[in-house]
Amino acid sequence: QVQLVESGGGLVQAGASLRLSCAASGRTFSNYAMGWFRQAPGKDREFVAAISRTGGSTDYADSVKGRFTISRDNAKNTVYLQMNSLKPEDTAVYYCAANRYTYFKSPQAYDYWGQGTQVTVSS
C-alpha cells in the first residue's frame, strides 16, 4: 500500500502561482511513477502531468504545458506540481496518483490516489 497526501491548494487570483506537494508513505517511493490529475465540478478527472520513477522523464497536458512543472524528491518521498500563470479554468480538485511501473495519462492506470487538494483561481 502507498498512502498519498496532497497539500498546497488554495484560493488565488489569475496570474498567481501555487506549488502543490504530495507526500508518500508506505512503500519505496522511488519505485513508483507519479501523476497529477484534476477534476472540476461536473467534469471527468483529467491528466495534468506525470513523472517517471527517477524523475528523468515527464509529460504534460497541452493545457498546462509551459505553465506547470512536475518534479520529485525521492529522498523526501514527495512529488511537486509548480503551477504558474494560473487561470480560472485551472480551478479544480487536484489529485496525485502512483503507478508501480510507469506513468500514463489515463487515471485508470494508477494504483493509489490521494484525497485531493482544492485549487481555486479567481478572475
Side-chain angles (χ1 to χ4, degrees):
Q1 288 281 351
V2 175
Q3 292 78 42
L4 303 172
V5 179
E6 301 96 335
S7 61
L11 171 63
V12 297
Q13 291 189 330
S17 298
L18 279 175
R19 188 176 81 156
L20 305 183
S21 299
C22 172
S25 62
R27 292 287 179 94
T28 303
F29 179 65
S30 59
N31 286 345
Y32 291 83
M34 300 297 296
W36 282 99
F37 293 79
R38 65 187 182 187
Q39 188 166 19
K43 295 188 176 181
D44 293 335
R45 191 167 298 189
E46 66 172 0
F47 171 77
V48 175
I51 190 165
S52 63
R53 290 180 289 181
T54 63
S57 181
T58 59
D59 197 8
Y60 296 91
D62 288 343
S63 59
V64 307
K65 204 170 291 184
R67 299 188 298 123
F68 291 11
T69 302
I70 189 171
S71 62
R72 66 189 296 160
D73 185 338
N74 285 344
K76 295 183 178 180
N77 293 347
T78 303
V79 62
Y80 304 98
L81 185 67
Q82 177 67 45
M83 305 186 295
N84 299 330
S85 303
L86 283 161
K87 304 176 181 180
E89 50 264 42
D90 295 318
T91 295
V93 177
Y94 283 71
Y95 300 89
C96 67
N99 180 282
R100 177 62 179 86
Y101 300 104
T102 188
Y103 60 78
F104 300 90
K105 292 186 176 181
S106 170
Q108 284 74 25
Y110 287 79
D111 306 306
Y112 303 102
W113 290 85
Q115 83 291 345
T117 186
Q118 177 71 47
V119 172
T120 304
V121 185
S122 63
S123 57

